[in-house]
Amino acid sequence: MVKRVSFMGADCPVARALDVIGDWWSLLIIRDIFDGRRRFSELQLGLGIAKGMLATRLRDLVERGVLTTMPASDGSAYREYVLTEKGSGLFLVIVALRQWGEDHLYRPDERHSALVDAETNRPVDRLSLRSADGRRLEWRDTWIRPRGVA
């Protein structure tokens, strides 16, 4: 088995982010927690993931500050997994992946879900990158500038 390489010391923030959430199980766990699943058994059943693999992923996400545990909301002896502020910051990542999947991985006649505004029940707008003055930017319109360089 190949040993996992850590990217936490990488210069690239994308590489560092992938070090924390870069496997599909972690992102699917985070997606399910956004969707309201909180308990180990709910996550395991919904994802169909092996219990040992789920326990490992949850432990890693807690250790990395993406999730925390708290007593179950129903007062039982169970613990629930909840997103930290760091974890909640992944919402746009999940939405971006969802929208990319909707655009590229479904046939036009294939049924799929839609993300809707809870207040209006209408589909949310597409994510887009905007400049400080409001212009829509594509990848060709950007570049990476090292910090500390004017």
Side-chain angles (χ1 to χ4, degrees):
M1 180 175 267
V2 177
K3 184 175 176 165
R4 188 173 184 273
V5 174
S6 174
F7 293 113
M8 284 310 290
D11 290 338
C12 176
V14 174
R16 288 185 183 204
L18 288 173
D19 195 73
V20 176
I21 51 117
D23 70 86
W24 65 70
W25 287 122
S26 293
L27 286 170
L28 292 173
I29 290 166
I30 293 164
R31 176 209 60 190
D32 279 8
I33 292 175
F34 276 122
D35 288 345
R37 292 186 177 104
R38 303 280 188 273
R39 291 191 179 172
F40 186 96
S41 59
E42 293 173 325
L43 293 164
Q44 198 273 325
L45 183 66
L47 293 169
I49 184 176
K51 290 179 181 181
M53 176 126 4
L54 178 58
T56 298
R57 293 302 187 278
L58 288 168
R59 184 192 69 237
D60 289 347
L61 290 168
V62 169
E63 286 176 2
R64 293 169 180 259
V66 175
L67 300 176
T68 191
T69 62
M70 57 188 342
S73 54
D74 64 3
S76 67
Y78 293 102
R79 304 284 297 169
E80 294 181 344
Y81 293 91
V82 294
L83 294 158
T84 62
E85 183 178 340
K86 186 179 194 178
S88 295
L90 291 166
F91 182 65
L92 291 179
V93 173
I94 299 293
V95 172
L97 284 170
R98 165 183 273 286
Q99 290 181 350
W100 182 85
E102 290 169 347
D103 290 348
H104 300 289
L105 304 176
Y106 286 85
R107 294 184 315 272
D109 63 334
E110 191 174 3
R111 225 178 124 183
H112 60 278
S113 61
L115 185 64
V116 297
D117 181 328
E119 187 175 315
T120 66
N121 203 32
R122 297 182 64 203
V124 300
D125 285 342
R126 306 290 299 169
L127 292 180
S128 64
L129 184 63
R130 303 280 176 175
S131 67
D133 64 8
R135 290 176 294 115
R136 183 182 166 143
L137 299 173
E138 298 295 331
W139 69 270
R140 291 176 187 90
D141 303 319
T142 67
W143 61 280
I144 304 298
R145 181 178 66 203
R147 296 242 181 201
V149 177

